[in-house]
Amino acid sequence: MQTHILGSTKIDSYRKLKFSIENFLNSKKNLENNISLICKIREIKNEIIKTQKFLDITNIGIFPYYDKVLTNMFYLGIIPYRYIKIINKKKCNIGLKEMLNIAKGNLKIKPLEMTKWFNTNYHYLVPELNNDNLKKFYKNNFLKEEFVNIEKIKNKKKFALIGPITFIKISNIKKLNKKSLYKNIFKRYINIIKRIKKEDIDIIQFEEPYFKDNLKKKEVKFLLRFYNKISKEIYNKIMLTCYFYKTNNFFLKNIKKIKSFGIHIKFDFSDKKLIKKTIKVIKKKKNKVISLGISSGRSIWVSDFEKILKKLKLILKKNLFISFSSSLEHIPFSIEKENNIPKNIKKWLCFYKEKIKELINIKKIFIYGKKINKKIYNKNKFINIVIKNYNKHSDLIIKEKSNNINKHKRKVYKNKIKFPTTTIGSFPQTKKIRSIRKEFFDKKISYKKYENFIKRNIKKNIRFQEKIGIDVLVHGEPERNDMVEFFCDKLNGFIITKFGWVHSYGTRCVKPPILFGTVIYKKGISIRWVRYYKKITNRIIKGIITGPITILKWSFIRKDIKLKDIAIQIGLALRKEVILLKKNGIKIIQIDEPAFKECMPTNIKDKKKYVNWSSRAFKILFCGINNLQIHTHICYSKLNKFDIKAFNIMDIDVISIECARSFMKILKFIKKVKLNFELGLGVFDIHSNYKFKKNDIYKFTSKIYKMKKKNIWINPDCGLKTRKWKEIINPLKKMVWAAKKMKKKF
């Protein structure tokens, strides 16, 4: 039995990678800074490698300097066509400076589109493939850099890559013949394999999360041909890795045809018939290595050793690898430094470093037996019994309450402004705001000093919006940290960690709350600030709440209860906040649901079930409450016709959707669906340095209005929290100018 992981978190407790990249971006980017950044990154890599030293196999590859898909794209020697002229002029290798320029864009050139990595909260940069950028291999040293100091790794080495089928499927493809596209990409992958072969690498791991039942027959043929060819002719130590989706009949049927050295499959499902079929397939592959994802790689809870060992006993195979169902990049680094978590709950938790220890313990118990490892086994068994029974009684009480919620239709508050301008909610959070908040939480300053500081910033945000002529104001959220963490901190049942950072996108990290108990509302979450800003302006102001599906998805949730029951518990708790906002004179409430799409299953039957329970959890917040206009916000999700129809079920009055970054692709789906809500498509990308013209906004908004003949809202595509004031003033003024032109014209 061999232990390994599919991938590691690159974000440690102190977020060294984030701050190293940001310091480089903010400096004068000379050769000296470039060298010091590479040295820091090598230190970070060495620290990650050390965490795997007690495993049988160490995993390296696709290091996310900014984004892991972007790194994989550079391995293949591909760059976006917009940057070809710049690179050709310089006649040099692509380095970190060029990589970060491509990732973020500049004043003249747009960045790559950004969207969610399957159903996770990680946002990746979408590769672009066309005739122009596939003609040539653009030289860089990113693949070579992965092999620096690998001789120090004493155990076996496994190099990870995103597989060719998944890479093609997640890319934006323009005017390319599929056969020539596949041939081109396969040739590039073969060159990578030949390069890796020269190094002291034992296994190459290809990640193919797209290997699922909605692949077309031609795509399956290409996949089988590629892996069988390289296994026979070039390198036979290939491990095909599939995760995120349940192992099904389609997958098992095609596994038999793959002649690669090893196959990794998710093995934490409950379908008994499918388990039997999987075991048959595994036992037939006598000379092949089978790697089993014996526990979830995205769960932060202690694994159930008893269940896992029962499954492993069913297989009893010599060439057996054990791992987690997916990469461990989606969980925090370590629980060690979390001193604020109650001791009894801390025992339940298992982050990246603890997961590796778990894997080693499972191997020990399986090989040497329970008696020799009695303490470890019994401790694990006891913790799992406690977790199962901890919330049973309180869960039942909340379930009964949810059945009594009024399901009657509500009277909608109708806003009379034509083409209203607004923002998504947050305004820039300066270093000063962050440091004052930290000082307050660390009890270094009094509440009065903190309150006065927040009030001054709210006033500044409101006066700015009044001055430039925004119609529906927001208070700018200077008192809020993360949109999920802020609300979870005020709800019973959640724990907020101090160092539980996870990579979200680029240099941005988030700290997901941990749901350990029944969700119960504590007190007014945002009411004290509402009462203040209602005093200082007579203009329409919008209340902002994070929705139940986003809180569910962007938190680490319980494993002993169904997702829909958690969502309804959160919905019931937040309903009390909506009632308080209404009592305090707020008539427009935005319930943010950026994670609505990423929580959605891929199977159509499961999708329909999901839409039913998620829309119910969403509507619980406001059903039966009259004279409210309900907004929601969706961002960085690849939306389609089904999703637009799903929004109709949610009883939303206005929906704002990220649109600028994805090159307005959503329009082709909006055309085909009758909408029972008003639209606010993001007119500029807040995460990019790209400088747009105000007339572009007008042309875009007039196009939507002519298409739908409905009042449309004009707003940025996301919150402005991570921006600087100098970056947002002109774009917002341009947005207001375009809205005024719309009002005159139509």
Side-chain angles (χ1 to χ4, degrees):
M1 183 181 277
Q2 303 273 296
T3 53
H4 72 112
I5 56 170
L6 304 188
S8 53
T9 177
K10 311 300 187 288
I11 306 300
D12 67 354
S13 301
Y14 301 108
R15 296 171 289 161
K16 287 175 198 163
L17 181 63
K18 169 193 167 67
F19 294 119
S20 299
I21 298 284
E22 284 178 357
N23 290 339
F24 177 79
L25 285 166
N26 295 327
S27 69
K28 289 178 181 177
K29 302 189 187 85
N30 55 26
L31 185 65
E32 209 174 295
N33 288 324
N34 192 44
I35 291 164
S36 66
L37 176 61
I38 290 164
C39 291
K40 280 175 188 174
I41 286 168
R42 284 178 182 175
E43 279 175 31
I44 292 163
K45 283 183 184 178
N46 289 335
E47 282 173 27
I48 292 157
I49 285 164
K50 279 177 190 175
T51 62
Q52 300 181 56
K53 67 181 177 183
F54 295 114
L55 293 171
D56 297 301
I57 302 160
T58 294
N59 193 81
I60 59 168
I62 47 174
F63 188 86
Y65 301 85
Y66 190 86
D67 167 57
K68 68 175 190 175
V69 178
L70 187 66
T71 304
N72 201 94
M73 194 169 96
F74 286 149
Y75 289 169
L76 296 167
I78 298 168
I79 62 165
Y81 70 95
R82 299 186 293 290
Y83 289 86
I84 290 171
K85 284 180 184 177
I86 298 167
I87 300 298
N88 286 343
K89 271 182 190 177
K90 288 185 177 182
K91 292 180 181 177
C92 65
N93 284 5
I94 300 160
L96 278 165
K97 186 180 175 181
E98 286 75 26
M99 175 190 251
L100 296 168
N101 195 14
I102 287 167
K104 289 181 73 65
N106 58 39
L107 294 173
K108 292 179 181 177
I109 303 175
K110 286 186 177 182
L112 290 167
E113 183 187 345
M114 189 163 67
T115 193
K116 305 273 173 71
W117 179 252
F118 295 85
N119 61 348
T120 72
N121 187 30
Y122 177 71
H123 306 61
Y124 71 93
L125 292 168
V126 181
E128 291 174 359
L129 306 176
N130 55 47
N131 282 321
D132 294 319
N133 66 356
L134 290 181
K135 282 175 184 174
K136 185 181 170 185
F137 182 94
Y138 293 90
K139 289 180 182 178
N140 63 81
N141 290 322
F142 289 100
L143 184 61
K144 188 182 176 182
E145 184 62 27
E146 297 294 353
F147 305 122
V148 175
N149 296 329
I150 63 158
E151 67 278 359
K152 290 178 183 177
I153 303 169
K154 290 177 182 176
N155 50 3
K156 286 181 184 177
K157 293 173 277 293
K158 176 162 60 75
F159 194 95
L161 289 165
I162 294 166
I165 299 296
T166 296
F167 183 80
I168 291 167
K169 291 289 282 181
I170 64 171
S171 298
N172 282 334
I173 300 161
K174 283 185 181 178
K175 295 173 185 176
L176 273 172
N177 174 273
K178 274 204 172 179
K179 273 191 180 179
S180 61
L181 168 66
Y182 276 86
K183 278 182 184 177
N184 189 304
I185 297 297
F186 285 179
K187 273 182 188 177
R188 290 169 187 266
Y189 269 98
I190 286 163
N191 289 335
I192 293 175
I193 295 162
K194 285 176 180 175
R195 175 68 186 86
I196 295 169
K197 196 179 174 182
K198 290 176 185 177
E199 302 295 331
D200 185 22
I201 299 292
D202 299 281
I203 301 164
I204 301 175
Q205 170 186 294
F206 280 95
E207 296 180 18
E208 289 286 13
Y210 242 108
F211 190 12
K212 50 182 181 162
D213 51 11
N214 63 353
L215 273 184
K216 292 172 185 174
K217 282 183 182 178
K218 282 183 181 178
E219 289 166 339
V220 174
K221 276 184 184 178
F222 275 122
L223 185 141
L224 296 174
R225 196 185 301 163
F226 174 76
Y227 287 108
N228 289 338
K229 185 183 177 178
I230 55 174
S231 295
K232 271 186 183 180
E233 298 172 20
I234 302 159
Y235 192 81
N236 65 345
K237 292 292 176 77
I238 295 290
M239 180 170 282
L240 180 65
T241 310
C242 307
Y243 48 85
F244 294 146
Y245 305 105
K246 286 181 180 179
T247 306
N248 55 24
N249 292 322
F250 163 85
F251 182 74
L252 293 174
K253 181 186 165 186
N254 286 293
I255 272 183
K256 295 170 188 175
K257 298 171 188 175
I258 292 169
K259 293 165 186 174
S260 65
F261 155 79
I263 290 160
H264 173 87
I265 57 172
K266 183 179 174 182
F267 200 66
D268 57 342
F269 48 86
S270 54
D271 189 330
K272 286 178 183 177
K273 285 182 182 177
L274 213 52
I275 287 175
K276 283 179 184 177
K277 282 184 182 178
T278 308
I279 290 163
K280 275 186 183 179
V281 170
I282 288 167
K283 286 186 174 177
K284 277 180 185 177
K285 287 193 166 286
K286 289 176 185 177
N287 302 318
K288 304 292 178 190
V289 164
I290 294 290
S291 172
L292 297 179
I294 54 172
S295 183
S296 173
R298 291 159 65 190
S299 166
I300 47 88
W301 304 105
V302 163
S303 299
D304 190 333
F305 287 4
E306 192 175 24
K307 271 187 180 179
I308 290 165
L309 292 163
K310 274 182 187 176
K311 284 179 190 176
L312 290 175
K313 276 180 184 177
L314 292 170
I315 296 155
L316 289 169
K317 190 181 188 295
K318 282 182 183 178
N319 298 328
L320 189 66
F321 283 29
I322 58 167
S323 184
F324 295 97
S325 59
S326 65
S327 167
L328 301 181
E329 67 193 297
H330 307 292
I331 60 173
F333 189 70
S334 177
I335 197 73
E336 289 164 1
K337 292 179 175 68
E338 299 295 343
N339 299 320
N340 298 332
I341 298 174
K343 283 182 182 178
N344 61 321
I345 307 298
K346 194 175 175 178
K347 287 174 186 174
W348 304 0
L349 304 175
C350 199
F351 293 173
Y352 166 71
K353 281 176 84 174
E354 291 76 33
K355 286 269 181 195
I356 288 173
K357 284 177 190 173
E358 259 197 352
L359 205 60
I360 293 159
N361 284 333
I362 289 164
K363 180 183 171 177
K364 277 181 187 175
I365 298 166
F366 186 73
I367 292 170
Y368 302 113
K370 293 173 194 175
K371 285 182 182 178
I372 294 169
N373 299 280
K374 200 175 181 180
K375 275 187 181 179
I376 298 166
Y377 181 79
N378 286 343
K379 186 185 174 183
N380 178 271
K381 193 175 182 180
F382 177 72
I383 287 168
N384 277 286
I385 291 166
V386 173
I387 291 170
K388 278 176 193 173
N389 294 288
Y390 193 79
N391 297 294
K392 272 188 178 179
H393 182 66
S394 50
D395 285 344
L396 283 170
I397 294 166
I398 298 294
K399 203 169 187 180
E400 283 170 18
K401 281 185 181 179
S402 71
N403 296 329
N404 300 325
I405 290 289
N406 186 3
K407 292 176 186 176
H408 295 305
K409 284 187 177 180
R410 62 191 173 88
K411 289 179 186 174
V412 179
Y413 163 71
K414 288 182 180 177
N415 168 44
K416 292 176 183 177
I417 305 165
K418 295 284 179 189
F419 310 114
T421 50
T422 189
T423 61
I424 302 305
S426 58
F427 267 75
Q429 293 215 347
T430 60
K431 281 183 182 178
K432 183 74 174 167
I433 291 173
R434 288 192 175 99
S435 65
I436 290 285
R437 192 195 297 124
K438 191 178 185 302
E439 282 177 35
F440 172 66
F441 287 133
D442 293 343
K443 296 177 182 176
K444 289 178 183 177
I445 58 168
S446 66
Y447 176 72
K448 268 196 174 180
K449 192 177 178 181
Y450 172 71
E451 185 184 38
N452 290 334
F453 176 79
I454 295 296
K455 282 180 177 179
R456 283 198 302 274
N457 277 276
I458 289 172
K459 195 171 188 177
K460 178 190 172 183
N461 293 337
I462 285 170
R463 294 291 175 255
F464 167 73
Q465 292 169 84
E466 288 172 336
K467 188 182 174 183
I468 68 166
I470 288 176
D471 299 306
V472 175
L473 312 185
V474 295
H475 77 289
E477 305 173 10
E479 81 287 3
R480 300 186 188 185
N481 39 25
D482 175 73
M483 63 183 287
V484 171
E485 184 181 323
F486 177 77
F487 282 90
C488 291
D489 195 30
K490 316 290 188 296
L491 299 171
N492 278 321
F494 284 97
I495 287 169
I496 307 299
T497 62
K498 203 171 181 181
F499 301 99
W501 297 103
V502 175
H503 197 183
S504 178
Y505 66 85
T507 59
R508 175 137 165 84
C509 300
V510 290
K511 198 152 50 72
I514 295 168
L515 174 64
F516 73 93
T518 305
V519 183
I520 299 163
Y521 186 75
K522 282 187 197 174
K523 54 185 176 180
I525 298 169
S526 53
I527 302 308
R528 73 178 86 161
W529 311 114
V530 171
R531 286 171 184 156
Y532 170 70
Y533 61 68
K534 284 294 286 179
K535 284 178 188 176
I536 61 169
T537 186
N538 295 320
R539 302 275 289 278
I540 301 167
I541 201 153
K542 182 168 64 168
I544 315 283
I545 291 177
T546 304
I549 306 304
T550 298
I551 288 177
L552 171 83
K553 185 65 185 173
W554 292 1
S555 302
F556 292 118
I557 53 166
R558 288 163 54 189
K559 63 176 183 177
D560 60 320
I561 185 173
K562 289 179 182 176
L563 289 178
K564 65 177 182 180
D565 293 331
I566 299 172
I568 284 162
Q569 282 185 11
I570 299 166
L572 271 172
L574 293 174
R575 180 181 172 84
K576 292 180 180 177
E577 182 74 1
V578 171
I579 291 164
L580 275 174
L581 287 171
K582 171 84 192 305
K583 279 181 183 176
N584 282 274
I586 300 295
K587 291 184 177 179
I588 298 178
I589 297 177
Q590 181 178 298
I591 305 166
D592 285 331
E593 284 293 15
F596 180 81
K597 174 66 190 262
E598 76 186 65
C599 210
M600 195 179 281
T602 52
N603 178 286
I604 287 290
K605 281 184 182 178
D606 293 339
K607 265 186 182 182
K608 286 176 181 176
K609 285 177 188 175
Y610 164 76
V611 169
N612 284 335
W613 67 254
S614 61
S615 58
R616 187 187 167 218
F618 182 84
K619 286 189 277 190
I620 274 177
L621 273 81
F622 55 84
C623 60
I625 305 171
N626 292 324
N627 298 315
L628 280 180
Q629 187 179 65
I630 299 297
H631 290 225
T632 195
H633 170 62
I634 309 283
C635 66
Y636 300 112
S637 299
K638 282 192 172 181
L639 301 173
N640 55 37
K641 196 176 173 182
F642 179 91
D643 306 323
I644 306 299
K645 285 181 177 178
F647 299 147
N648 277 336
I649 299 165
M650 291 171 75
D651 197 20
I652 305 160
D653 304 315
V654 180
I655 184 166
S656 64
I657 304 172
E658 172 274 321
C659 194
R661 183 89 181 221
S662 59
F663 309 104
M664 315 299 175
K665 281 190 278 187
I666 189 68
L667 291 178
K668 67 177 180 181
F669 299 114
I670 287 168
K671 276 181 189 177
K672 298 171 185 177
V673 182
K674 260 194 175 185
L675 308 179
N676 57 16
F677 49 80
E678 292 177 4
L679 271 173
L681 297 183
V683 292
F684 68 90
D685 172 24
I686 66 103
H687 296 103
S688 169
N689 299 323
Y690 177 68
K691 197 174 182 180
F692 60 90
K693 294 171 185 175
K694 57 186 179 181
N695 216 41
D696 293 343
I697 298 176
Y698 167 71
K699 283 176 186 175
F700 172 56
T701 48
S702 57
K703 186 182 177 180
I704 301 162
Y705 179 68
K706 284 171 187 174
M707 187 201 302
K708 298 312 288 184
K709 294 291 177 192
K710 270 193 170 197
N711 193 26
I712 61 165
W713 290 66
I714 299 167
N715 49 258
D717 65 357
C718 211
L720 305 167
K721 183 194 292 180
T722 58
R723 301 299 90 199
K724 292 172 184 172
W725 273 98
K726 65 180 181 182
E727 293 172 326
I728 70 157
I729 292 168
N730 282 331
L732 289 176
K733 282 180 178 176
K734 288 175 185 179
M735 187 183 86
V736 172
W737 177 90
K740 283 177 181 174
K741 195 172 178 183
M742 287 288 291
K743 286 166 190 175
K744 282 179 187 176
K745 179 86 186 221
F746 303 104

